[in-house]
Amino acid sequence: MASHNALLSGVDLQCYENNHAHRTEEMDMEQLLVRRGQPFSVVLQCTDHIPRLPDHQLNLILHLGKNNEVVLKVSDSEQDHGKWWFSQRNAQGEVMLTLHSPADAPVGLYSMTVVLLSADGQLLEQTKSQTFYLLFNPWCKDDSVYLPSEELLQEYILNENGILYQGSWDDITTVPWNFGQFEKDVVDICFEVLDNSPAALKNSEMDIANRGSPVYVSRTITAMVNANDDRGVVSGRWDGEYSDGVAPTRWTGSVPILRRWSEGGGQRVRYGQCWVFTGVACTVLRCLGIPTRCITNYSSAHDTDANISVDYLFNDQLENVSEGRKDSIWNYHCWVESWMKRDDLPEGFDGWQVLDPTPLERSDGVFCCGPCPVHAVKEGEVGLKYDTPFVFSEVNADLIFWIVHPDGERIQVSQNSKVIGRNISTKSVYGDFREDITANYKHPEGSMKEREVYKKAGRQVGQKNKDPGQLKLFIKHAPAIHGTDFDVIIEVYNSGREDTDAQLTVTSNAITYNSIHRGECQRKTTSLTVQAHKAHKEVLRLQYDHYGACVSEHHMIRVTALLQLTNQDNIILQEINIPLKMPALHIKIIGKAIVSHKLTAHISFTNPLPVSLQGGVFTVEGAGLTEAIEIKTHGKIEPGQAVTVKFSFKPTRAGLRKLLVDFDSDRLRDVKGEATVIVRTKMQNRNVGLH
C-alpha cells in the first residue's frame, strides 16, 4: 500500500434512513437491511477532502457468502446493465455513496469495503469491512417477486400475525399464529437455514449464485423446514408420543422454533405437523421478502401411488384392509403459496405457487414440494414442475370405496368426484376472516370442464355411480362439545315403492386430522326394514366415557356407516368427521400499552371435562410484545374448576399486536386464546386543549 496520509475514517451505513425506505425498520435499526433493485446510500467519512479525480478514485468491493466466496467489484457507472454500480456526491469532509443493486442479485449477507486508489490503480487505503443483508423486493417492478398491490404486501410481507384454518370442511376452526418475521435475530436464522442446506454445504459458491432465484430459494426452504433429509428445522411426528419434545399443538408461533433450532446448532426441533411446518415456512419466506400466505385444503388427498384417486378398502365388517402405504384423506392439510414469476416455465404460470414443507413424498429424492403453479393445478398441466401431479391429487382426486370379500374379490362400492379438495382457505387481507380460494385450484365440481381437466391429468374418468337404488344414507349429529355426550343420527331413507331389508353397521373412531386411527369408540350393527317412502333413524350416543380415553390431540371423531341390502350386492357407505368443540381461554390486559412500559395479562381457563386435569401449562408469546414463556399450574384442575394465571411483560414495538396463549395438560390439549393490543410509542395526552 503506497505511503500517504489517511483520508478515510469510516462508513456510516445510515441504517435508520435506509431501513425505513426499504420497509425493514421493524426488523432492526442497528443493522442494515435493504431490498434488491432499490438504491440505498451510505456516507463515507473522511479526515479531509478527497483530492479530485483523476488523481484518486473510489471503489467499492462486495463479498458474499459465509466465507466471502463471491467477490463483486462495484462499478462507478450504470453502463454495465444488470450489475451493481454506485454514484457519489462530495460534501464537507464526507462523500455520499448511493449503491444500486440489480433486481436479480443473490439475496444474502454482504460485506462491503470502500477502497481508495491512486490514479495508476495502486491501493492507498480501505475502510473496515461492514455487513448488510440484501432481501427480495416485491415492491420493485423488475424483481421476479414483484406484487403490484400495497394492500397485499401489507399482509403477505409485513403482517407478523396470521390465522391457520383447521377443523373440517363443514366445521372450520381457526388457530392464531405468530409469524414474527421481524423479531430480533430472525433474519439471521433464516439465512442460517439456507446456509445449512445440502446444496450450500456441498458447493456454497454455486448455491450463492442460485439465490437470486425465488424458485430456487423457496424450494430450498420447503426442504429445510422439515428435518427428514438434512439439517432441517422441525421433525414431524403424528403418533401422539411427544414426551421427548413439544407436542405440535402447543406451538403458537414460529419464533421459538427457529430460535431453538439455531441455539441448538442446527439440531432438529421436536415436533411439528402440517400447520407448524406451514407457519415456519411462511415466517422464513416473508422475512426473505417473498410474498407468502398460508393455505388450508379440506378433505385433502394423500395419493401414495400417483393414480389420482384415493382407494379405501374395507372388509364386510367395515374394517380397513388396505395394505402397505395407504392412500388417505386428511381432514385438512396446510401448505403455503408464494408469489413469483416462473421464467423456467412457459408463459401463463406466474403468480401464486404451492410450496408444501410437510414431508409427505420425495421430490427429486428429497422431502420437499414445489413451487407448483396454482394455475397448472387448475388446468391439469401435471407435466410442469415442480410436483404438480401430487398437488393436483391433493385437491382433485376421486374417492373410491371398495369392499374386499373373504375370497379376495374386490367390489367397487362408489366413486365420488366431489369429496376431495373442499373450501380451500386463506386469511383475508382485509381482516381476520376467511377467504375461499377453491376456484383458483379447480373448476366447479362435477362440471364438464372439471372432468375434462381430470382426464387431461392422465386419469380415465370413471363411470357415473351406479344407481344407488331406492335407499339413501345420511349422517347428522348434535353439537359435539368436548367432554360431553352427544348423539349421532344415521338416517336411511327409502325412496322406492317397496319395503326394503338391510343391515346397517355404524362405527365411531378417534382419529387424527390426517386420518390415523387412534382407537374405536363404539360399534353398532342393526338389521332393519325401511318402509317405502319413509326414513329409518338410528341414534348412536357418543359418550365421553367411550371416546375420552382414545381421542387424539386433534379432538376428532370419525363416524362411518355401511348399509348392505339383504340378498343384494348393493352397498352404500357414508363417512363424516366430527371436530369436538373446545373451550376458550379468556385474556384480559391490565394497563396502558406503551413501548417499554409494563402490562399485566390475566388468563382464565375452566376445565370442561368430567375428569381432573394434571400438568397444566400455559404458553404465551406475541411479536413485539413478549418472547415465548411458560406458566405452569400447580396440582389438579378439577371438573368445572376455573384457573387464572397472570404475568407481566413490556412491549418492545408499537402498532397492532397480538398476544397468543395455548393451554396443555395430560387430558386436554390445544386450547387457544388471543388478545389484540394497540401499542403506542409514548404516553399520549388525550385532554389536549387551548389555554
Side-chain angles (χ1 to χ4, degrees):
M1 188 179 293
S3 174
H4 96 124
N5 295 325
L7 293 171
L8 310 182
S9 61
V11 177
D12 176 6
L13 296 180
Q14 297 201 108
C15 296
Y16 180 88
E17 294 83 1
N18 285 318
N19 290 6
H20 188 78
H22 287 248
R23 298 172 176 85
T24 60
E25 72 274 11
E26 290 274 347
M27 287 187 188
D28 204 328
M29 293 304 280
E30 297 175 3
Q31 184 177 28
L32 182 58
L33 297 130
V34 292
R35 300 188 185 276
R36 65 186 192 177
Q38 180 177 341
F40 64 98
S41 297
V42 299
V43 174
L44 176 64
Q45 296 162 332
C46 310
T47 58
D48 200 352
H49 289 291
I50 295 179
R52 291 183 177 277
L53 298 175
D55 300 329
H56 296 78
Q57 60 176 325
L58 289 172
N59 271 350
L60 282 169
I61 307 295
L62 300 178
H63 290 85
L64 179 59
K66 283 171 66 176
N67 301 308
N68 294 332
E69 296 94 326
V70 179
V71 182
L72 299 168
K73 181 183 176 185
V74 182
S75 168
D76 60 358
S77 167
E78 63 175 316
Q79 292 177 353
D80 291 334
H81 183 69
K83 294 187 177 180
W84 285 82
W85 66 280
F86 76 95
S87 58
Q88 66 183 72
R89 284 180 292 171
N90 294 351
Q92 296 291 320
E94 296 180 324
V95 181
M96 177 170 279
L97 305 174
T98 301
L99 284 80
H100 302 259
S101 61
D104 61 353
V107 297
L109 182 64
Y110 287 73
S111 62
M112 176 178 64
T113 306
V114 182
V115 298
L116 182 64
L117 303 177
S118 64
D120 58 359
Q122 287 191 61
L123 176 62
L124 299 177
E125 60 179 298
Q126 64 185 44
T127 61
K128 182 181 176 183
S129 177
Q130 290 183 281
T131 61
F132 64 90
Y133 277 115
L134 187 73
L135 307 175
F136 291 102
N137 191 353
W139 284 271
C140 173
K141 288 183 178 180
D142 296 325
D143 196 311
S144 50
V145 299
Y146 173 60
L147 181 57
S149 166
E150 186 61 34
E151 266 183 335
L152 299 188
L153 290 168
Q154 286 293 324
E155 180 70 32
Y156 300 141
I157 290 289
L158 300 179
N159 195 350
E160 291 184 90
N161 298 297
I163 293 174
L164 307 179
Y165 292 96
Q166 297 182 353
S168 62
W169 72 270
D170 58 348
D171 192 358
I172 294 172
T173 59
T174 60
V175 173
W177 192 264
N178 174 31
F179 298 119
Q181 66 267 30
F182 302 144
E183 289 286 84
K184 185 174 174 56
D185 303 328
V186 168
V187 66
D188 304 288
I189 299 171
C190 292
F191 281 106
E192 189 182 344
V193 171
L194 285 175
D195 290 339
N196 275 276
S197 74
L201 296 173
K202 182 179 179 180
N203 187 336
S204 61
E205 196 168 332
M206 184 178 294
D207 173 68
I208 289 166
N210 286 328
R211 287 191 192 177
S213 163
V215 173
Y216 176 84
V217 170
S218 63
R219 186 163 170 79
T220 301
I221 293 302
T222 71
M224 285 299 295
V225 165
N226 73 72
N228 277 46
D229 302 294
D230 39 47
R231 300 181 67 182
V233 178
V234 183
S235 182
R237 191 161 189 169
W238 284 266
D239 62 4
E241 296 297 325
Y242 312 121
S243 57
D244 59 339
V246 176
T249 52
R250 279 192 59 191
W251 302 113
T252 52
S254 308
V255 178
I257 295 170
L258 289 167
R259 284 186 177 150
R260 184 176 294 199
W261 175 82
S262 178
E263 291 164 3
Q267 289 293 311
R268 62 188 62 187
V269 177
R270 301 181 174 94
Y271 289 102
Q273 290 171 3
C274 73
W275 70 92
V276 179
F277 294 115
T278 293
V280 172
C282 187
T283 295
V284 175
L285 292 164
R286 284 186 184 181
C287 184
L288 295 176
I290 301 176
T292 302
R293 62 187 186 181
C294 296
I295 308 299
T296 298
N297 176 40
Y298 288 95
S299 300
S300 186
H302 183 185
D303 176 19
T304 58
D305 53 8
N307 67 346
I308 318 183
S309 71
V310 170
D311 299 287
Y312 275 6
L313 279 62
F314 294 92
N315 63 17
D316 295 329
Q317 281 71 50
L318 203 56
E319 296 165 333
N320 194 314
V321 292
S322 302
E323 296 178 352
R325 297 183 67 226
K326 302 174 185 177
D327 287 354
S328 60
I329 300 176
W330 292 28
N331 225 36
Y332 62 87
H333 180 49
C334 302
W335 57 70
V336 297
E337 287 177 1
S338 289
W339 181 273
M340 65 189 73
K341 285 183 182 174
R342 289 301 301 269
D343 294 329
D344 57 327
L345 297 180
E347 282 189 20
F349 298 99
D350 298 339
W352 290 117
Q353 312 286 320
V354 172
L355 293 152
D356 190 348
T358 302
L360 295 175
E361 300 290 331
R362 292 188 184 274
S363 173
D364 296 336
V366 177
F367 278 105
C368 66
C369 179
C372 160
V374 172
H375 188 62
V377 175
K378 183 170 184 175
E379 298 305 325
E381 298 287 354
V382 295
L384 297 178
K385 59 187 183 183
Y386 293 88
D387 311 303
T388 310
F390 184 75
V391 180
F392 183 88
S393 286
E394 286 184 302
V395 301
N396 244 326
D398 279 4
L399 171 62
I400 303 178
F401 283 113
W402 303 82
I403 294 294
V404 182
H405 291 308
D407 61 1
E409 181 190 8
R410 291 185 182 186
I411 295 177
Q412 182 176 322
V413 177
S414 66
Q415 178 168 348
N416 195 327
S417 65
K418 298 182 180 180
V419 173
I420 290 169
R422 292 176 149 182
N423 290 350
I424 303 175
S425 304
T426 191
K427 177 189 173 299
S428 169
V429 298
Y430 302 110
D432 290 349
F433 49 88
R434 188 180 73 89
E435 179 184 350
D436 192 298
I437 57 169
T438 309
N440 293 1
Y441 281 84
K442 56 204 296 190
H443 295 280
E445 289 288 11
S447 67
M448 188 178 297
K449 184 65 176 176
E450 187 260 346
R451 292 287 86 188
E452 283 176 10
V453 167
Y454 188 73
K455 190 172 183 179
K456 180 181 180 181
R459 173 74 179 177
Q460 289 302 311
V461 177
Q463 297 296 314
K464 288 184 182 284
N465 292 353
K466 292 184 298 182
D467 179 5
Q470 58 198 44
L471 294 190
K472 293 179 173 56
L473 185 59
F474 306 95
I475 306 175
K476 304 170 184 175
H477 65 88
I481 299 170
H482 195 15
T484 67
D485 303 343
F486 60 94
D487 291 335
V488 176
I489 301 159
I490 298 90
E491 184 177 296
V492 183
Y493 178 71
N494 185 354
S495 61
R497 297 177 179 178
E498 298 178 359
D499 296 354
T500 304
D501 296 328
Q503 179 174 281
L504 176 66
T505 301
V506 184
T507 64
S508 63
N509 290 275
I511 61 164
T512 63
Y513 81 99
N514 60 332
S515 288
I516 297 174
H517 282 234
R518 288 280 176 83
E520 186 171 282
C521 306
Q522 285 161 279
R523 171 182 287 264
K524 183 178 182 180
T525 300
T526 308
S527 295
L528 47 92
T529 299
V530 189
Q531 296 179 1
H533 300 295
K534 294 286 181 67
H536 176 91
K537 293 183 180 179
E538 284 287 327
V539 178
L540 183 69
R541 186 152 186 83
L542 288 180
Q543 298 176 327
Y544 179 78
D545 289 346
H546 293 148
Y547 72 75
C550 59
V551 71
S552 76
E553 65 271 25
H554 306 121
H555 321 115
M556 196 82 63
I557 303 292
R558 173 172 291 170
V559 176
T560 307
L562 180 76
L563 184 69
Q564 191 160 13
L565 277 65
T566 307
N567 302 322
Q568 293 185 37
D569 286 336
N570 202 1
I571 294 171
I572 306 169
L573 193 146
Q574 284 286 4
E575 199 168 69
I576 65 165
N577 297 319
I578 305 174
L580 302 173
K581 295 289 185 190
M582 297 294 289
L585 298 178
H586 299 285
I587 306 167
K588 186 176 182 181
I589 307 292
I590 309 297
K592 292 185 177 180
I594 301 165
V595 171
S596 300
H597 285 59
K598 188 169 83 170
L599 284 174
T600 301
H602 293 244
I603 305 165
S604 302
F605 163 75
T606 301
N607 178 9
L609 302 186
V611 296
S612 60
L613 306 177
Q614 297 188 73
V617 58
F618 293 89
T619 306
V620 186
E621 70 169 296
L625 293 176
T626 177
E627 294 186 354
I629 62 166
E630 289 187 352
I631 306 166
K632 294 182 178 179
T633 61
H634 300 289
K636 294 182 179 180
I637 305 174
E638 300 296 342
Q641 181 183 345
V643 174
T644 299
V645 297
K646 64 180 181 178
F647 81 104
S648 297
F649 60 98
K650 293 180 180 179
T652 56
R653 289 184 284 137
L656 187 74
R657 303 289 168 192
K658 286 192 177 183
L659 189 71
L660 308 184
V661 185
D662 169 80
F663 174 79
D664 263 43
S665 66
D666 61 338
R667 297 292 296 271
L668 186 65
R669 290 176 169 174
D670 196 23
V671 183
K672 305 293 188 193
E674 64 178 303
T676 302
V677 184
I678 298 175
V679 181
R680 293 177 169 81
T681 52
K682 59 184 178 180
M683 185 74 75
Q684 293 181 345
N685 184 359
R686 296 177 181 272
N687 298 314
V688 178
L690 298 174
H691 298 282

